[in-house]
């Protein structure tokens, strides 16, 4: 996790290393079960001193928690002007542990698989088959073919990523009077379809 996020924030997103390291350390401290503070991290005593809730010391319960973690507001500010980077859409707190290569963004593929910049280009150009549409029958589902196009070891690819099924995101917005609610869900493209993560805002 630390290595992958480091590659994503520093190499892919070009975030200041101090800002990136602080966000990563504080995230680790937020979810790990102990009170040992990571270098540049924050544990219970730092949150209590600032009269802020945290850390969770266990799995996160919702994406809104990210902005309560020390260092993540600074990370958000650092990427605000960078095109195509929206922290709220890049991270989920539930769902599969492996990266879905059929729908994943280029920066995530390159960070998770340890590729250099533009190392996922050959894969992105062909992954959705002739119709260029994701989650259709002609998508490439062969790990060996994906590994060849990404120039990585197939065992590494299978360990960190999946091609088994696609996923899609559903966004529903409703308003009653002055109250607006948004429900967002990630649904698997399997049979039967399954809601893998959901958020209410």
């Amino acid at each position: 996790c630390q290595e992958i996020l480091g590659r994503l924030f520093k190499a892919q997103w070009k975030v200041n290393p101090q800002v990136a390291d602080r966000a990563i350390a504080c995230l680790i401290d937020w979810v790990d079960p102990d009170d040992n503070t990571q270098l540049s991290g924050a544990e219970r005593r730092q949150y209590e001193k600032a009269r802020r809730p945290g850390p969770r010391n266990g799995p996160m319960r919702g994406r809104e928690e990210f902005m309560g973690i020390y260092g993540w507001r600074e990370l958000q500010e650092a990427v605000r002007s960078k095109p195509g980077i929206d922290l709220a859409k890049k991270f989920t707190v539930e769902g599969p542990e492996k990266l879905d290569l059929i729908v994943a963004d280029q920066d995530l593929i390159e960070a998770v698989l340890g590729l250099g910049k533009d190392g996922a280009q050959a894969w992105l150009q062909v992954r959705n088959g002739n119709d260029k549409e994701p989650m259709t029958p002609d998508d490439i589902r062969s790990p060996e073919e994906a590994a060849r196009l990404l120039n990585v070891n197939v065992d590494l690819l299978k360990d960190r990523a999946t091609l088994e099924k696609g996923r899609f995101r559903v966004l529903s917005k409703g308003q009653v009077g002055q109250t607006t609610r948004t429900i967002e869900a990630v649904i698997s493209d399997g049979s039967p379809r399954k809601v893998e993560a959901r958020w209410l805002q």
Side-chain angles (χ1 to χ4, degrees):
C1 171
Q2 190 168 5
E3 178 188 349
I4 290 169
L5 289 177
R7 284 197 297 260
L8 180 64
F9 297 166
K10 293 185 262 189
Q12 297 289 330
W13 294 358
K14 307 297 185 200
V15 171
N16 176 294
Q18 289 180 318
V19 172
D21 289 340
R22 170 94 165 138
I24 295 166
C26 290
L27 174 62
I28 292 169
D29 282 340
W30 185 270
V31 298
D32 69 17
D34 61 49
D35 282 328
N36 301 323
T37 307
Q38 299 280 320
L39 184 65
S40 76
E43 281 287 358
R44 187 167 312 281
R45 60 188 166 276
Q46 286 89 358
Y47 287 94
E48 286 175 352
K49 187 175 180 181
R51 297 185 178 157
R52 292 172 54 173
R56 165 86 47 210
N57 286 347
M60 294 175 70
R61 294 187 185 155
R63 288 189 302 175
E64 65 280 355
E65 280 187 39
F66 279 111
M67 290 306 121
I69 299 172
Y70 271 117
W72 279 73
R73 290 191 188 278
E74 292 80 3
L75 178 65
Q76 185 179 46
E77 284 302 314
V79 300
R80 188 178 302 280
S81 63
K82 298 179 186 292
I85 301 175
D86 183 348
L87 287 183
K89 294 180 180 175
K90 285 286 183 185
F91 298 101
T92 62
V93 297
E94 297 179 29
E97 296 176 2
K98 297 182 180 183
L99 183 70
D100 187 342
L101 291 177
I102 296 297
V103 295
D105 292 340
Q106 178 176 344
D107 55 354
L108 291 176
I109 294 172
E110 291 170 357
V112 168
L113 296 178
L115 308 176
K117 185 162 173 55
D118 297 328
Q121 279 296 324
W123 167 249
L124 293 172
Q125 290 170 2
V126 299
R127 69 178 174 180
N128 295 324
N130 292 330
D131 66 3
K132 307 293 184 204
E133 294 292 324
M135 293 174 285
T136 57
D138 71 341
D139 293 352
I140 296 176
R141 300 289 181 169
S142 162
E144 291 76 18
E145 180 65 7
R148 184 186 68 75
L149 290 162
L150 290 162
N151 197 28
V152 296
N153 179 284
V154 70
D155 292 329
L156 172 73
L157 183 136
K158 287 179 180 179
D159 183 56
R160 298 184 180 180
T162 182
L163 292 152
E164 292 176 7
K165 58 184 177 178
R167 291 170 186 83
F168 59 96
R169 190 175 301 271
V170 175
L171 187 66
S172 177
K173 216 175 236 192
Q175 184 172 357
V176 176
Q178 299 297 316
T179 305
T180 301
R181 288 289 180 268
T182 300
I183 299 174
E184 189 174 353
V186 174
I187 300 175
S188 67
D189 189 29
S191 181
R193 286 182 170 164
K194 175 185 169 189
V195 176
E196 297 190 345
R198 64 170 65 90
W199 306 272
L200 176 64
Q201 300 170 4

